[in-house]
Amino acid sequence: MGNKEKAKERREKRLQEIRFQMTVPYSDNQRWWSKETVAVVTGGNRGIGFEICRQLAVHGLTVILTSRDSSAGVESIKSLEEGGLCVVYHQLDVVDHSSINQFVEWLRENYGGLDILVNNAGVNFNLGSDNSVENAHKVIETNYYGIKNMIEATLPLMKPSLVGARIVNVSSRLGRLNGRRNRISNVALREELSDVESLTDELIDRTVATFLQQVEDGTWTTSGWPQVYTDYSVSKLAVNAYTRLMARKLSERPEGQKIYINCYCPGWVKTALTGYAGNNTVEEGADTGVWLALLSVQTFMGKFCAERREINF
C-alpha cells in the first residue's frame, strides 16, 4: 500500500470515529450552555455556516444566523423553522463597517452581548485546477479582514462567564505554514509568521498587502506563494496567524473574563465553495467548529484543529 492509500485509509478511519462521536449526546455535566447562551454565526445562510447554525440550535442555544444577502438569510431561517428550530436572523456584511456597527448595536440592545462567535463567512472563486487571482482583493478582504473586523467589533460584547466566551474561525489546511505542500517558500517569512511571541498585526497585514501588490504588478507567480488556490490559501494563512496572535493577546484575561479563540479546517466539504466536489458532508464539516464552541472544559487556545483534534499550523 502506497503513502497516498495509507493516508486515505487513516483519514477514512478518523472520519468514521467522528461520525460515531457525532451520535453521542452531551451529558448534563458537559452542557454548560442554556437558551440564554447567544451564538453568532457569520455567513450562515448556506453550507457549513448553515449547518453550524442548525447544530447549535439543536443543542438549545440562541443562534443568530447572519448573512450579507437578506433574502437568502430569511429563506434559511424558514428552512430551519420548518425543521422545528428557532433561529434569529440579522443582516451582516463583514466587510462593511456600517453593517457591522448596526449589527453590534442591535446585538447589544436585544441580547446584551454574545457568548460564541463563529467566523464562517468566506469566499473562493477557484474550482478544480483553476488558480486565478482576479478576485484576490475580495478574497483577502472577506476571508481575513472580515474576521478581523468581526472580532474587533464584538470583543467588547463578549459576555463574562466561568466557562469563558468562544471565538471559532473557520480556516483551511491550505493556509498551513509548514505543510508538506502548498506552503510559502520564503523561509524567512515562514519563520516570522511561526514565531507567536513576535507576531504582530502589522506583520500579517504587510504579508497580505505584499501579496496583493504582487498580484497587481504580475510578480506573484514567482514570489513563492502557495501554488493551489493562491489567494484563498494566503487569506487562510492570515486567518491562522491572526488566531494565534489574538490568543496571545487574550491569554492574560482573568478568570471569569476568558475568551478562547481557535481556528479549524472543516475539510474538503461538498458545498458551493468547492463546487460540491468535496469528500465530506456539511454535517462532518461543521462538527469540529461546533465541538470547539461547546467544549465544557476549554483547553484549546490559539490552536488549529480538524476532526476534533489539534493539528499543526
Side-chain angles (χ1 to χ4, degrees):
M1 184 183 293
N3 290 334
K4 280 189 177 181
E5 289 76 13
K6 288 180 180 178
K8 184 177 180 181
E9 187 178 81
R10 287 195 300 270
R11 186 165 57 249
E12 184 55 36
K13 184 178 180 182
R14 183 63 188 166
L15 276 174
Q16 288 176 1
E17 292 172 1
I18 295 300
R19 289 167 190 143
F20 170 73
Q21 290 170 355
M22 288 169 65
T23 67
V24 179
Y26 285 88
S27 68
D28 290 341
N29 290 334
Q30 292 174 314
R31 294 175 63 89
W32 58 268
W33 62 90
S34 69
K35 189 63 178 174
E36 304 303 312
T37 304
V38 177
V40 172
V41 182
T42 68
N45 60 293
R46 64 179 186 177
I48 294 169
F50 178 83
E51 179 60 21
I52 288 174
C53 289
R54 190 193 69 80
Q55 291 188 24
L56 290 174
V58 167
H59 287 305
L61 289 79
T62 292
V63 178
I64 301 172
L65 182 157
T66 72
S67 67
R68 180 177 53 83
D69 184 331
S70 295
S71 59
V74 171
E75 286 302 311
S76 297
I77 292 293
K78 289 180 181 177
S79 175
L80 291 167
E81 288 176 343
E82 288 170 2
L85 298 173
C86 181
V87 176
V88 181
Y89 176 72
H90 197 282
Q91 191 277 337
L92 173 64
D93 185 343
V94 299
V95 301
D96 182 339
H97 288 282
S98 175
S99 175
I100 293 171
N101 291 339
Q102 290 176 23
F103 172 73
V104 166
E105 189 56 37
W106 171 85
L107 185 64
R108 179 188 290 110
E109 290 179 0
N110 289 274
Y111 296 94
L114 71 164
D115 302 275
I116 297 168
L117 171 64
V118 180
N119 283 309
N120 167 75
V123 294
N124 170 46
F125 295 92
N126 288 307
L127 296 173
S129 59
D130 298 341
N131 194 28
S132 168
V133 293
E134 180 182 351
N135 296 289
H137 281 273
K138 187 171 185 178
V139 171
I140 297 294
E141 183 182 32
T142 305
N143 296 1
Y144 168 53
Y145 285 108
I147 282 179
K148 194 173 180 181
N149 293 342
M150 283 302 299
I151 290 175
E152 290 175 353
T154 58
L155 272 181
L157 290 185
M158 288 287 178
K159 294 180 180 180
S161 70
L162 292 176
V163 295
R166 288 97 193 278
I167 300 173
V168 179
N169 297 328
V170 180
S171 190
S172 171
R173 286 184 175 93
L174 288 174
R176 292 173 77 172
L177 276 174
N178 296 302
R180 286 175 294 176
R181 296 173 293 175
N182 209 47
R183 66 183 181 184
I184 52 176
S185 61
N186 184 328
V187 176
L189 179 58
R190 269 210 321 268
E191 290 178 350
E192 278 190 286
L193 291 169
S194 295
D195 186 356
V196 69
E197 294 306 318
S198 61
L199 199 56
T200 63
D201 287 279
E202 292 75 19
L203 173 60
I204 304 170
D205 289 351
R206 188 170 70 245
T207 298
V208 297
T210 298
F211 167 66
L212 291 175
Q213 181 56 52
Q214 291 174 354
V215 167
E216 290 293 321
D217 60 33
T219 62
W220 68 275
T221 56
T222 57
S223 299
W225 299 106
Q227 300 80 42
V228 178
Y229 298 173
T230 302
D231 53 4
Y232 182 82
S233 297
V234 171
S235 75
K236 294 304 186 180
L237 181 151
V239 168
N240 291 351
Y242 184 67
T243 301
R244 295 165 69 228
L245 170 63
M246 286 306 300
R248 191 189 76 210
K249 290 182 177 181
L250 295 171
S251 63
E252 296 181 2
R253 292 175 71 98
E255 291 297 328
Q257 297 181 35
K258 294 287 188 184
I259 300 174
Y260 297 96
I261 181 169
N262 296 285
C263 55
Y264 92 100
C265 176
W268 197 241
V269 183
K270 298 172 185 175
T271 65
L273 200 74
T274 65
Y276 300 96
N279 300 316
N280 299 352
T281 66
V282 287
E283 292 83 3
E284 292 161 353
D287 177 72
T288 296
V290 173
W291 173 74
L292 279 170
L294 298 183
L295 278 174
S296 55
V297 180
Q298 183 58 273
T299 56
F300 289 101
M301 180 64 155
K303 303 300 184 184
F304 188 24
C305 296
E307 293 94 39
R308 296 198 185 195
R309 57 180 176 155
E310 181 182 352
I311 60 176
N312 294 326
F313 279 98

